[in-house]
Amino acid sequence: MSRPWIDVVYGTRPEAVKCAPLVAELRRRASARTTVTVTGQHRQMADEVNASFGITPDVDLDVFRSGASLAETSSAIFGALAHRWAEAAPDAVVVQGDTASAALAAVAAYYAGSRVIHLEAGLRSGDLRSPFPEEGNRRLIAPVASLHLAPTDSAAANLRAEGVAPDDIVVTGNTGIDALHWQRTHPQRFDDPAMEEVVHGWDRLVLVTVHRRESWGGPLARVVAAVAETVTARSDVVAVLPMHPNPRVRREVVAAVGETDRVILCEPLPYAQFGRLLARAHCVVTDSGGVQEEAPALGVPALVVRDTTERGEGVEAGAARLIGTRREVVAAELAALLDDPAAHARMSRARELYGDGRAAPRAADAIERLLGLARAHSLAG
């Protein structure tokens, strides 16, 4: 009897980071044939993550084209996956999170007759326009998924409230925390010697990651300008902003930074190097979902420059603050973390809000049960 076939599909760097621990666990067990299909959206960044975790994709759809619209990229992903699975469909397809890769792969797998497994299921902001298009993407996946791997109890509650059968939901923790644990045991020196000087030469470092589509055309520039203003007023503070590869994001960031010499713009950092920079940071200003999970695990206060968040656990625990994108608010909140040691201390206690580093084994156990495989591994945790 042949082993079941599981195809894990992803395209962006965050997806690669969170899928890598599960791919490694499934391949270690070898109870199913596990393949990796990449769409090619974040070419260099996702390739770097795959290489770090020793993953060589089985298929590269190579659909990304510079300047393509969201609809054009989505159409290309859907068509390429339909062609890939036309002759033989996987027994199950794993998608992660809320990207176009995840949503289109879930629908294509459903059309092909495969069971859809949603890793990091159940996150909800409650606003279809924020974050856009992520909130819509994850809501599209839920109705076609056979197994919902929820990272937290609140994510599982969201799914139950939408009518998902409780037996189809498993709370695993977030595999991003598994990846973070791996990264901390594999520290890397920075490729750029100047970054080593920044890390060792400044008392306080503010890490900034901004790229969200709903922030284009004003909000993103306001956030960056607020950081530049606040950092410039404090002689012992430096900010580092790894720039997203999207040309529009880069143009807005560069224009907002202006002549400020203590907001250092750099290329996207390899995963392990970014983790080292985050661990060193005094605080982080971010609109990234993954950073909202990683920062509390490292005891780094997070200022979330969005109007909504699907990761409310950090806000409720006091490890993150949801502050929006108004320039004066961002400047005031960042100043408080830089000038008030008590405020910083309240947010900087390390917390296991999103997982304990054992999400991948729990997810693999659930997948084996879904596929009717012998339970060779006891349920972790």
Side-chain angles (χ1 to χ4, degrees), residues 256-344:
V257 168
E259 300 300 317
T260 305
D261 61 1
R262 278 190 284 116
V263 177
I264 299 171
L265 304 180
C266 65
E267 292 301 313
L269 296 169
Y271 172 67
Q273 294 178 35
F274 178 82
R276 181 181 167 204
L277 189 65
L278 177 59
R280 167 65 175 80
H282 184 80
C283 62
V284 60
V285 177
T286 187
D287 60 14
S288 162
V291 174
Q292 289 181 64
E293 297 155 356
E294 294 163 340
L298 296 170
V300 177
L303 297 178
V304 183
V305 285
R306 290 166 52 178
D307 294 323
T308 61
T309 182
E310 59 279 23
R311 293 167 173 85
E313 295 88 350
V315 177
E316 292 169 7
R321 288 181 63 83
L322 188 65
I323 65 172
T325 58
R326 291 173 54 195
R327 179 170 177 165
E328 64 273 20
V329 174
V330 174
E333 293 285 353
L334 179 56
L337 279 180
L338 291 171
D339 298 342
D340 184 348
H344 184 272

Side-chain angles (χ1 to χ4, degrees), residues 57-193:
D58 298 271
V59 174
D60 185 345
L61 302 178
D62 194 23
V63 301
F64 180 77
R65 298 294 178 268
S66 180
S69 69
L70 181 60
E72 289 168 334
T73 299
S74 298
S75 177
I77 292 170
F78 189 80
L81 286 170
H83 178 75
R84 165 150 169 71
W85 299 327
E87 293 187 7
D91 295 279
V93 172
V94 176
V95 300
Q96 191 283 324
D98 49 26
T99 65
S101 294
L104 275 299
V107 176
Y110 170 71
Y111 283 1
S114 303
R115 281 172 283 193
V116 176
I117 298 167
H118 191 191
L119 182 64
E120 197 181 67
L123 274 65
R124 299 290 186 270
S125 71
D127 182 351
L128 268 175
R129 306 300 300 181
S130 179
F132 176 86
E134 289 85 351
E135 179 75 2
N137 284 338
R138 52 189 173 232
R139 292 198 208 180
L140 286 172
I141 298 169
V144 300
S146 297
L147 176 61
H148 307 256
L149 301 172
T152 63
D153 290 333
S154 63
N158 290 336
L159 292 165
R160 291 193 297 271
E162 293 174 2
V164 175
D167 288 348
D168 296 337
I169 304 167
V170 177
V171 178
T172 62
N174 200 302
T175 52
I177 303 302
D178 295 35
L180 183 66
H181 283 218
W182 174 89
Q183 177 268 318
R184 298 193 76 184
T185 64
H186 296 75
Q188 289 186 14
R189 288 187 61 84
F190 294 104
D191 294 335
D192 182 356

Side-chain angles (χ1 to χ4, degrees), residues 199-259:
V199 166
H200 294 294
W202 290 87
D203 292 337
R204 295 185 292 175
L205 185 155
V206 177
L207 178 59
V208 184
T209 70
V210 287
H211 72 282
R212 287 286 179 187
R213 189 176 294 266
E214 68 267 21
S215 293
W216 296 359
L220 188 152
R222 292 196 295 270
V223 168
V224 174
V227 171
E229 167 192 323
T230 308
V231 167
T232 299
R234 292 156 180 81
S235 60
D236 65 332
V237 180
V238 65
V240 176
L241 196 163
M243 290 190 292
H244 193 275
N246 185 287
R248 179 166 178 178
V249 173
R250 288 182 171 231
R251 287 194 299 270
E252 292 193 33
V253 166
V254 170
V257 168
E259 300 300 317

Side-chain angles (χ1 to χ4, degrees), residues 11 38-48 60-63:
V38 296
T39 63
Q41 283 161 276
H42 288 177
R43 166 59 58 214
Q44 291 181 321
M45 293 193 295
D47 286 353
E48 175 269 317
D60 185 345
L61 302 178
D62 194 23
V63 301

